[in-house]
mmCIF file of all heavy atoms in Angstrom:
data_model
loop_
_atom_site.group_PDB
_atom_site.id
_atom_site.type_symbol
_atom_site.label_atom_id
_atom_site.label_comp_id
_atom_site.label_asym_id
_atom_site.label_seq_id
_atom_site.Cartn_x
_atom_site.Cartn_y
_atom_site.Cartn_z
ATOM 1 N N TYR A 176 236.022 78.017 -104.626
ATOM 2 C CA TYR A 176 236.082 79.094 -103.651
ATOM 3 C C TYR A 176 237.313 79.958 -103.890
ATOM 4 O O TYR A 176 238.414 79.462 -104.095
ATOM 5 C CB TYR A 176 236.105 78.508 -102.240
ATOM 6 C CG TYR A 176 236.201 79.563 -101.181
ATOM 7 C CD1 TYR A 176 235.055 80.245 -100.771
ATOM 8 C CD2 TYR A 176 237.422 79.906 -100.628
ATOM 9 C CE1 TYR A 176 235.138 81.235 -99.825
ATOM 10 C CE2 TYR A 176 237.501 80.892 -99.680
ATOM 11 C CZ TYR A 176 236.357 81.562 -99.275
ATOM 12 O OH TYR A 176 236.455 82.544 -98.340
ATOM 13 N N ASP A 177 237.141 81.293 -103.831
ATOM 14 C CA ASP A 177 238.245 82.236 -104.005
ATOM 15 C C ASP A 177 239.018 81.981 -105.292
ATOM 16 O O ASP A 177 240.245 82.130 -105.359
ATOM 17 C CB ASP A 177 239.214 82.172 -102.809
ATOM 18 C CG ASP A 177 238.663 82.923 -101.604
ATOM 19 O OD1 ASP A 177 237.577 83.516 -101.720
ATOM 20 O OD2 ASP A 177 239.319 82.909 -100.542
ATOM 21 N N GLY A 178 238.313 81.552 -106.320
ATOM 22 C CA GLY A 178 238.970 81.402 -107.612
ATOM 23 C C GLY A 178 239.774 80.140 -107.780
ATOM 24 O O GLY A 178 240.585 80.046 -108.699
ATOM 25 N N PHE A 179 239.577 79.128 -106.905
ATOM 26 C CA PHE A 179 240.312 77.874 -107.056
ATOM 27 C C PHE A 179 239.652 77.040 -108.151
ATOM 28 O O PHE A 179 238.829 76.165 -107.880
ATOM 29 C CB PHE A 179 240.334 77.089 -105.739
ATOM 30 C CG PHE A 179 241.359 77.563 -104.757
ATOM 31 C CD1 PHE A 179 241.007 78.374 -103.692
ATOM 32 C CD2 PHE A 179 242.688 77.197 -104.895
ATOM 33 C CE1 PHE A 179 241.949 78.799 -102.778
ATOM 34 C CE2 PHE A 179 243.641 77.622 -103.979
ATOM 35 C CZ PHE A 179 243.272 78.431 -102.927
ATOM 36 N N ASP A 180 239.989 77.295 -109.373
ATOM 37 C CA ASP A 180 239.525 76.470 -110.482
ATOM 38 C C ASP A 180 240.298 75.159 -110.415
ATOM 39 O O ASP A 180 241.532 75.151 -110.472
ATOM 40 C CB ASP A 180 239.809 77.172 -111.808
ATOM 41 C CG ASP A 180 239.331 76.363 -113.009
ATOM 42 O OD1 ASP A 180 239.004 75.169 -112.833
ATOM 43 O OD2 ASP A 180 239.298 76.927 -114.112
ATOM 44 N N PRO A 181 239.612 74.019 -110.271
ATOM 45 C CA PRO A 181 240.344 72.758 -110.096
ATOM 46 C C PRO A 181 241.315 72.456 -111.223
ATOM 47 O O PRO A 181 242.365 71.850 -110.996
ATOM 48 C CB PRO A 181 239.228 71.709 -110.013
ATOM 49 C CG PRO A 181 238.007 72.370 -110.577
ATOM 50 C CD PRO A 181 238.157 73.815 -110.255
ATOM 51 N N HIS A 182 241.004 72.891 -112.424
ATOM 52 C CA HIS A 182 241.877 72.585 -113.549
ATOM 53 C C HIS A 182 242.985 73.616 -113.734
ATOM 54 O O HIS A 182 243.823 73.475 -114.615
ATOM 55 C CB HIS A 182 241.046 72.456 -114.830
ATOM 56 C CG HIS A 182 240.041 71.350 -114.744
ATOM 57 N ND1 HIS A 182 240.397 70.025 -114.701
ATOM 58 C CD2 HIS A 182 238.686 71.378 -114.644
ATOM 59 C CE1 HIS A 182 239.309 69.279 -114.596
ATOM 60 N NE2 HIS A 182 238.256 70.080 -114.556
ATOM 61 N N ALA A 183 242.962 74.659 -112.896
ATOM 62 C CA ALA A 183 244.022 75.665 -112.961
ATOM 63 C C ALA A 183 244.987 75.552 -111.791
ATOM 64 O O ALA A 183 245.873 76.388 -111.630
ATOM 65 C CB ALA A 183 243.404 77.065 -112.993
ATOM 66 N N LEU A 184 244.818 74.524 -110.950
ATOM 67 C CA LEU A 184 245.735 74.338 -109.820
ATOM 68 C C LEU A 184 247.141 74.046 -110.322
ATOM 69 O O LEU A 184 247.337 73.452 -111.383
ATOM 70 C CB LEU A 184 245.258 73.183 -108.931
ATOM 71 C CG LEU A 184 243.926 73.371 -108.194
ATOM 72 C CD1 LEU A 184 243.578 72.113 -107.424
ATOM 73 C CD2 LEU A 184 243.992 74.569 -107.257
ATOM 74 N N SER A 185 248.113 74.437 -109.518
ATOM 75 C CA SER A 185 249.512 74.215 -109.900
ATOM 76 C C SER A 185 249.967 72.789 -109.636
ATOM 77 O O SER A 185 251.113 72.439 -109.900
ATOM 78 C CB SER A 185 250.417 75.194 -109.142
ATOM 79 O OG SER A 185 250.263 75.021 -107.731
ATOM 80 N N LEU A 186 249.084 71.960 -109.089
ATOM 81 C CA LEU A 186 249.439 70.573 -108.807
ATOM 82 C C LEU A 186 249.721 69.814 -110.102
ATOM 83 O O LEU A 186 249.069 70.023 -111.124
ATOM 84 C CB LEU A 186 248.308 69.876 -108.061
ATOM 85 C CG LEU A 186 248.004 70.371 -106.645
ATOM 86 C CD1 LEU A 186 246.722 69.749 -106.135
ATOM 87 C CD2 LEU A 186 249.157 70.055 -105.708
ATOM 88 N N THR A 187 250.695 68.894 -110.035
ATOM 89 C CA THR A 187 251.005 68.017 -111.156
ATOM 90 C C THR A 187 251.009 66.582 -110.657
ATOM 91 O O THR A 187 250.854 66.320 -109.460
ATOM 92 C CB THR A 187 252.380 68.343 -111.759
ATOM 93 O OG1 THR A 187 253.411 67.950 -110.825
ATOM 94 C CG2 THR A 187 252.506 69.831 -112.065
ATOM 95 N N SER A 188 251.213 65.663 -111.561
ATOM 96 C CA SER A 188 251.276 64.254 -111.170
ATOM 97 C C SER A 188 252.467 63.978 -110.255
ATOM 98 O O SER A 188 252.471 62.983 -109.528
ATOM 99 C CB SER A 188 251.351 63.364 -112.411
ATOM 100 O OG SER A 188 252.518 63.651 -113.155
ATOM 101 N N GLU A 189 253.477 64.866 -110.269
ATOM 102 C CA GLU A 189 254.661 64.687 -109.431
ATOM 103 C C GLU A 189 254.512 65.333 -108.064
ATOM 104 O O GLU A 189 255.374 65.170 -107.200
ATOM 105 C CB GLU A 189 255.900 65.259 -110.136
ATOM 106 C CG GLU A 189 256.304 64.498 -111.388
ATOM 107 C CD GLU A 189 256.629 63.042 -111.082
ATOM 108 O OE1 GLU A 189 257.324 62.778 -110.082
ATOM 109 O OE2 GLU A 189 256.176 62.172 -111.840
ATOM 110 N N SER A 190 253.440 66.096 -107.853
ATOM 111 C CA SER A 190 253.231 66.729 -106.552
ATOM 112 C C SER A 190 253.038 65.659 -105.482
ATOM 113 O O SER A 190 252.454 64.598 -105.732
ATOM 114 C CB SER A 190 252.005 67.639 -106.597
ATOM 115 O OG SER A 190 252.170 68.679 -107.539
ATOM 116 N N MET A 191 253.519 65.945 -104.273
ATOM 117 C CA MET A 191 253.380 64.995 -103.185
ATOM 118 C C MET A 191 251.929 64.958 -102.717
ATOM 119 O O MET A 191 251.341 65.996 -102.393
ATOM 120 C CB MET A 191 254.289 65.370 -102.021
ATOM 121 C CG MET A 191 254.548 64.238 -101.052
ATOM 122 S SD MET A 191 255.649 62.971 -101.749
ATOM 123 C CE MET A 191 257.207 63.871 -101.705
ATOM 124 N N ALA A 192 251.340 63.779 -102.685
ATOM 125 C CA ALA A 192 249.966 63.626 -102.202
ATOM 126 C C ALA A 192 249.930 63.569 -100.683
ATOM 127 O O ALA A 192 249.103 64.209 -100.035
ATOM 128 C CB ALA A 192 249.328 62.379 -102.796
ATOM 129 N N PHE A 193 250.819 62.793 -100.095
ATOM 130 C CA PHE A 193 250.938 62.716 -98.640
ATOM 131 C C PHE A 193 252.142 61.853 -98.288
ATOM 132 O O PHE A 193 252.686 61.128 -99.138
ATOM 133 C CB PHE A 193 249.672 62.149 -97.982
ATOM 134 C CG PHE A 193 249.145 60.879 -98.590
ATOM 135 C CD1 PHE A 193 249.684 59.646 -98.265
ATOM 136 C CD2 PHE A 193 248.078 60.910 -99.481
ATOM 137 C CE1 PHE A 193 249.197 58.475 -98.826
ATOM 138 C CE2 PHE A 193 247.577 59.749 -100.049
ATOM 139 C CZ PHE A 193 248.141 58.527 -99.718
ATOM 140 N N LEU A 194 252.559 61.936 -97.044
ATOM 141 C CA LEU A 194 253.528 60.999 -96.485
ATOM 142 C C LEU A 194 252.756 59.991 -95.656
ATOM 143 O O LEU A 194 252.037 60.366 -94.723
ATOM 144 C CB LEU A 194 254.554 61.720 -95.595
ATOM 145 C CG LEU A 194 255.562 62.650 -96.255
ATOM 146 C CD1 LEU A 194 256.523 63.210 -95.203
ATOM 147 C CD2 LEU A 194 256.344 61.924 -97.342
ATOM 148 N N GLN A 195 252.872 58.724 -96.006
ATOM 149 C CA GLN A 195 252.166 57.659 -95.286
ATOM 150 C C GLN A 195 253.167 56.942 -94.398
ATOM 151 O O GLN A 195 254.004 56.178 -94.878
ATOM 152 C CB GLN A 195 251.528 56.668 -96.263
ATOM 153 C CG GLN A 195 250.826 55.504 -95.593
ATOM 154 C CD GLN A 195 249.596 55.945 -94.826
ATOM 155 O OE1 GLN A 195 248.678 56.517 -95.377
ATOM 156 N NE2 GLN A 195 249.597 55.684 -93.533
ATOM 157 N N TYR A 196 253.098 57.208 -93.092
ATOM 158 C CA TYR A 196 254.026 56.548 -92.181
ATOM 159 C C TYR A 196 253.561 55.131 -91.909
ATOM 160 O O TYR A 196 252.396 54.899 -91.567
ATOM 161 C CB TYR A 196 254.176 57.344 -90.880
ATOM 162 C CG TYR A 196 255.226 58.423 -91.029
ATOM 163 C CD1 TYR A 196 254.886 59.675 -91.517
ATOM 164 C CD2 TYR A 196 256.563 58.159 -90.778
ATOM 165 C CE1 TYR A 196 255.853 60.656 -91.714
ATOM 166 C CE2 TYR A 196 257.538 59.127 -90.974
ATOM 167 C CZ TYR A 196 257.175 60.368 -91.435
ATOM 168 O OH TYR A 196 258.146 61.314 -91.643
ATOM 169 N N THR A 197 254.493 54.199 -92.101
ATOM 170 C CA THR A 197 254.186 52.800 -91.827
ATOM 171 C C THR A 197 253.934 52.662 -90.336
ATOM 172 O O THR A 197 254.664 53.221 -89.516
ATOM 173 C CB THR A 197 255.341 51.884 -92.261
ATOM 174 O OG1 THR A 197 256.555 52.350 -91.665
ATOM 175 C CG2 THR A 197 255.495 51.914 -93.768
ATOM 176 N N SER A 198 252.880 51.939 -89.983
ATOM 177 C CA SER A 198 252.473 51.854 -88.585
ATOM 178 C C SER A 198 253.420 50.972 -87.799
ATOM 179 O O SER A 198 254.139 50.147 -88.339
ATOM 180 C CB SER A 198 251.052 51.283 -88.497
ATOM 181 O OG SER A 198 251.013 49.990 -89.067
ATOM 182 N N GLY A 199 253.416 51.198 -86.483
ATOM 183 C CA GLY A 199 254.121 50.286 -85.595
ATOM 184 C C GLY A 199 255.375 50.842 -84.986
ATOM 185 O O GLY A 199 255.571 50.767 -83.786
#
Side-chain angles (χ1 to χ4, degrees):
Y176 179 81
D177 282 358
F179 280 101
D180 181 347
H182 299 292
L184 295 177
S185 59
L186 294 170
T187 70
S188 61
E189 293 300 316
S190 299
M191 199 72 73
F193 49 82
L194 291 183
Q195 178 67 59
Y196 275 88
T197 53
S198 60

